[in-house]
Amino acid sequence: MKKLLTAVVLLTPFISPTNAVADVTAYGRVIYNVVSDDTSDDVYFGRHEFAESTIGIKGSIDFEGIIFGAQVEIGLDEGVSNILHTESNARNRIQEIWVSGKYGKLKLGTGASITWIASDVDQSGTWWSDPLGMSQRFGSTRRGPTGQSQTPFVQTQSIFSERIAYESPRFMGGIKFYAQQGEDSSREFAVKYAKNGWRANAWVSDFGDTDNDLDPQANIDGNATPGFFGAQSGRGVLAGYKHKSGVNFTATYGESDLVNNSQRDFINGKLGYTKGKHAASVSLGQYGSKSAQGLAGADHDRTTVAYHYAPTKGVRLWIQATQGDTEGQKSFNSFAIGGMVQL
């Protein structure tokens, strides 16, 4: 009898199913803007091409120290242009599975590119409406003279794409390394440092043959422009610091190589203050270009002032004004009022 009981005890872990409890979360956000600018003397509603409203679900299962997870997220773009797509206003932002452990995290599917993930260095509290005054990652006052409204920051960092991505564990006190292999031989690498209020990262992107063939699945930015918004590769560095008083700054420099062999570059600085429910910032940026023959194009300068108010957790309201000046062209002014509710 004792031998039978012993055998049952020894065999139980092998014959009984392992029931891991999944941690599942549904989430979403609604973002909306009213934008007025003097490039067309018009008022636009819902212009948010890069920070659209979203709805998603994500979950994970812990199996003996290894975490398996999955996420699906849909974005609803209420912008007035086709910069992200030409048909429906809905797009699949994330549809991925991942596994993580002590050696890092591996993700497979459609999702945020690693250069996009590594760019959250801005600690001003106003980046929801306008990152660094560059006005394109979140699109609220992105409009400007033709050829200048789409600045090189986006052209050096892809957004959402089909890829396999690796994120290392944190080492040396605050450093992470990221690598990505994407569709059509695209590759991205990034390194990020975060510790004691300091943030810094560097990245390099090669968009491979993306958007340069007839395969509609190879279109990572959702429009018909060759390359990634016209770029074939890009690189940049970004650094920032937030003091315990709430004063913060961020600076970034980058350059992109376009498919027509021309180049674009940018340099931006942002000074901000955030404390409690309030955040304010002013940012200055300059954007340059060089033709395939090496001739310098007109410089474009942009100044953005923003104020955010967060009355309660998950709610954020903002106002923002942008002025842009291009050599030899009339300056433009843009004003936005908007907000976000996270669910």
Side-chain angles (χ1 to χ4, degrees), residues 280-295:
S281 68
V282 57
S283 54
L284 305 173
Q286 184 176 79
Y287 314 94
S289 61
K290 187 179 293 185
S291 70
Q293 293 74 34
L295 301 177

Side-chain angles (χ1 to χ4, degrees), residues 62-236:
D62 187 339
F63 176 70
E64 298 183 357
I66 300 177
I67 309 297
F68 297 89
Q71 184 175 358
V72 175
E73 181 178 295
I74 303 298
L76 300 175
D77 171 24
E78 292 296 333
V80 297
S81 77
N82 64 351
I83 193 169
L84 283 183
H85 40 65
T86 57
E87 297 178 359
S88 169
N89 72 330
R91 67 183 180 119
N92 181 21
R93 288 165 59 100
I94 300 175
Q95 183 177 316
E96 67 180 10
I97 58 176
W98 49 268
V99 58
S100 66
K102 63 179 181 179
Y103 297 108
K105 187 174 186 178
L106 189 67
K107 299 188 289 186
L108 175 64
T110 300
S113 299
I114 55 107
T115 50
W116 175 263
I117 294 172
S119 64
D120 66 348
V121 175
D122 184 353
Q123 302 177 87
S124 66
T126 64
W127 59 272
W128 280 108
S129 65
D130 185 24
L132 303 173
M134 290 176 284
S135 302
Q136 74 285 337
R137 177 171 172 181
F138 291 94
S140 61
T141 55
R142 188 192 56 81
R143 293 179 60 82
T146 302
Q148 298 295 343
S149 59
Q150 183 180 298
T151 58
F153 184 76
V154 159
Q155 294 174 316
T156 69
Q157 295 187 333
S158 66
I159 308 173
F160 297 94
S161 63
E162 298 176 22
R163 80 288 184 267
I164 180 170
Y166 169 74
E167 175 184 333
S168 77
R170 195 178 303 276
F171 61 96
M172 295 180 64
I175 300 175
K176 277 191 174 185
F177 172 77
Y178 303 79
Q180 172 177 307
Q181 174 72 49
E183 54 187 334
D184 284 334
S185 302
S186 64
R187 297 180 179 86
E188 298 182 17
F189 301 93
V191 61
K192 177 180 177 180
Y193 173 80
K195 189 175 182 180
N196 298 330
W198 290 97
R199 301 289 188 274
N201 71 58
W203 67 90
V204 58
S205 303
D206 184 341
F207 303 124
D209 299 322
T210 302
D211 288 354
N212 288 319
D213 56 32
L214 299 178
D215 179 6
Q217 295 301 317
N219 199 323
I220 64 173
D221 59 12
N223 65 33
T225 305
F228 184 70
F229 292 118
Q232 61 182 355
S233 62
R235 63 210 65 87

Side-chain angles (χ1 to χ4, degrees), residues 253-282:
Y253 171 81
E255 53 189 25
S256 57
D257 303 313
L258 277 59
V259 295
N260 62 2
N261 294 321
S262 63
Q263 292 183 321
R264 302 187 72 185
D265 62 79
F266 64 89
I267 184 168
N268 290 273
K270 185 174 189 177
L271 180 64
Y273 175 79
T274 175
K275 201 73 172 180
K277 300 179 180 181
H278 306 276
S281 68
V282 57

